[in-house]
Amino acid sequence: VFSKIFSHEALESYLPKIQLVIKDTLRAWSSNPEPINVYHEAQTLTFRMAIRVLLGFRIPDEELGRLFEVYQQFVENVFSLPMDLPFSGYRRGIRARETLQKGLEKAIQEKLQNTQGKDYADALDILIESGKEHGKELTMQELKDGTLELIFAAYATTASASTSLIMQLLKHPRVLEKLREELRSKGILHNGCICEGSLRLDTIGGLHYLDCVIKEVLRLFTPISGGYRTVLQTFELDGFQIPKGWSVMYSIRDTHDTAPVFKDVDVFDPDRFGQGRSEDKEGRFHYLPFGGGVRTCLGKHLAKLFLKALAIELASTSRFELATRTFPKITLVPVLHPVDGLKVKFFGLDSNQNEILTGTDALLGATV
């Protein structure tokens, strides 16, 4: 039922809406006179993308902000101990989920009643229709659960990868310039602007260096550490017997660190995925940022599309710089992210890629 949400046709219809959300967000970042906390803002961006694009909810900004705060409380307590006591994280998480589901039910009902003015089928539309095609009309509870699952899947890991992407572009200006060169060569970037109508799914799919950059971000900074599986039959691994029925965890990060195909594993090197080297093609499970096998991440193509759209906007219409003296340390829990959130100053640009001066700088006629 969920698979159609991430089909080629569905992704094509989401793309213009994703672009719009990213453009509006970068415009807001650039108009802020103070540095922004990238990780927090990336969480807001991915939450807004899930609500506006995937689910098609027309929730006012003020109400959306309140829903985001409740959602953060829900996420913060997902991994709490299951002890239903007053003031426990578990109790706070349960209450947050109940509040969320009330808000989502209201949004779903309004959406089902108001179908006017829609110019594309969002994920919730597709989910409802896909259920009917399989002979199962989804109940309101199933719709609420499916909606919350979609938000959860699009939120934390994509915000983590978005933050890592921005940090690596800051650390490696040559990579950023090489991205710009590819966009110019493909006719996407011209005179400091993205050519209208140039971004389609097949066009983005043809940006090979961009694909290498996103792959390398996900190799070196995989948002989650691994996944769990149940042993279906007893087997032996490196002299150790693993009994049937055991629960085992595979480690994505350790795999990327130890896979023999990757040279200089600690170096950020997008060219390792280029045609000349193709280091990820040497083995089926050497590179698995989205897991592997039958239960590989269902939304991986949407996640990569979002990251590519963000990278294109960053390379085309933004200038940004680190707002701290050094880059922050990285923490791995609950998903990989910078400890201080990565503080960055964004600058507004005009059509000629010159900075738009604001406030005191503009009054003094300062040049940057």
Side-chain angles (χ1 to χ4, degrees):
V1 171
F2 267 80
S3 62
K4 283 195 173 182
I5 292 172
F6 306 108
S7 67
H8 185 279
E9 294 76 13
L11 295 180
E12 188 77 78
S13 71
Y14 304 153
L15 180 56
K17 308 297 179 183
I18 291 173
Q19 280 182 268
L20 188 59
V21 170
I22 292 173
K23 280 178 183 289
D24 288 345
T25 298
L26 291 183
R27 194 177 296 118
W29 292 358
S30 298
S31 63
N32 191 335
E34 299 298 324
I36 67 160
N37 181 315
V38 172
Y39 182 56
H40 175 75
E41 294 296 333
Q43 288 175 313
T44 307
L45 168 59
T46 53
F47 183 78
R48 183 178 293 270
M49 189 271 291
I51 293 291
R52 297 269 198 248
V53 179
L54 282 186
L55 302 173
F57 291 158
R58 300 174 182 178
I59 300 175
D61 285 342
E62 188 175 340
E63 189 177 337
L64 187 65
R66 287 196 297 268
L67 200 64
F68 176 62
E69 289 176 8
V70 176
Y71 184 77
Q72 280 191 306
Q73 190 173 40
F74 165 70
V75 171
E76 285 168 5
N77 292 290
V78 162
F79 297 106
S80 58
L81 291 172
M83 299 170 62
D84 193 7
L85 300 172
F87 311 110
S88 67
Y90 183 81
R91 179 73 65 86
R92 287 196 299 272
I94 292 294
R95 285 178 176 171
R97 186 184 67 180
E98 290 171 352
T99 304
L100 271 174
Q101 291 205 337
K102 286 178 183 176
L104 292 174
E105 182 169 351
K106 177 186 172 187
I108 292 169
Q109 286 176 337
E110 290 176 354
K111 177 184 173 66
L112 294 175
Q113 291 167 5
N114 184 10
T115 57
Q116 301 298 317
K118 283 189 64 67
D119 57 354
Y120 79 111
D122 56 59
L124 192 53
D125 293 329
I126 297 169
L127 183 63
I128 292 169
E129 288 304 313
S130 184
K132 290 177 181 177
E133 288 174 11
H134 286 79
K136 178 174 174 55
E137 189 152 348
L138 301 177
T139 65
M140 176 56 72
Q141 187 59 47
E142 287 171 330
L143 287 174
K144 286 190 293 184
D145 288 340
T147 297
L148 194 54
E149 180 73 14
L150 280 172
I151 298 172
F152 189 78
Y155 172 74
T157 52
T158 311
S160 167
S162 299
T163 305
S164 298
L165 170 65
I166 292 173
M167 186 162 67
Q168 293 313 297
L169 293 180
L170 282 167
K171 281 186 174 183
H172 304 279
R174 289 184 180 178
V175 170
L176 183 58
E177 185 51 41
K178 195 169 177 179
L179 269 180
R180 289 178 177 137
E181 288 173 6
E182 182 175 52
L183 294 175
R184 293 187 196 103
S185 69
K186 297 291 185 179
I188 295 172
L189 180 60
H190 181 67
N191 289 336
C193 296
I194 296 177
C195 298
E196 189 173 348
S198 61
L199 280 190
R200 293 181 56 82
L201 213 56
D202 55 352
T203 310
I204 292 178
L207 297 171
H208 299 300
Y209 186 70
L210 172 61
D211 188 56
C212 292
V213 171
I214 301 304
K215 280 183 175 179
E216 182 67 343
V217 167
L218 294 173
R219 181 195 70 84
L220 200 55
F221 300 97
T222 308
I224 59 172
S225 58
Y228 292 96
R229 296 290 184 269
T230 299
V231 179
L232 298 181
Q233 62 183 39
T234 300
F235 68 98
E236 191 172 292
L237 179 66
D238 288 345
F240 294 92
Q241 189 180 80
I242 314 298
K244 177 182 178 179
W246 274 29
S247 181
V248 297
M249 179 181 179
Y250 67 91
S251 175
I252 295 173
R253 294 197 186 108
D254 290 332
T255 300
H256 288 176
D257 285 345
T258 60
V261 297
F262 295 124
K263 309 298 185 288
D264 300 318
V265 291
D266 295 327
V267 177
F268 183 77
D269 179 17
D271 289 319
R272 73 173 73 248
F273 295 108
Q275 292 181 346
R277 291 162 64 181
S278 300
E279 291 182 7
D280 61 322
K281 298 291 193 282
E282 294 296 323
R284 186 181 173 195
F285 294 118
H286 287 147
Y287 178 74
L288 63 168
F290 295 100
V294 178
R295 295 191 177 277
T296 187
C297 175
L298 200 60
K300 64 181 180 180
H301 296 300
L302 175 63
K304 288 194 287 187
L305 178 63
F306 178 86
L307 291 171
K308 288 179 180 182
L310 176 60
I312 290 170
E313 289 293 337
L314 288 168
S316 304
T317 62
S318 297
R319 194 178 84 74
F320 46 101
E321 62 184 32
L322 191 67
T324 52
R325 294 181 66 181
T326 58
F327 283 95
K329 293 181 179 178
I330 299 294
T331 182
L332 306 179
V333 180
V335 295
L336 183 145
H337 66 277
V339 173
D340 78 345
L342 186 65
K343 294 173 183 174
V344 173
K345 180 71 180 80
F346 277 75
F347 301 89
L349 301 174
D350 62 19
S351 60
N352 295 315
Q353 293 288 285
N354 297 314
E355 287 179 19
I356 300 171
L357 301 178
T358 57
T360 307
D361 285 344
L363 292 172
L364 295 175
T367 55
V368 183

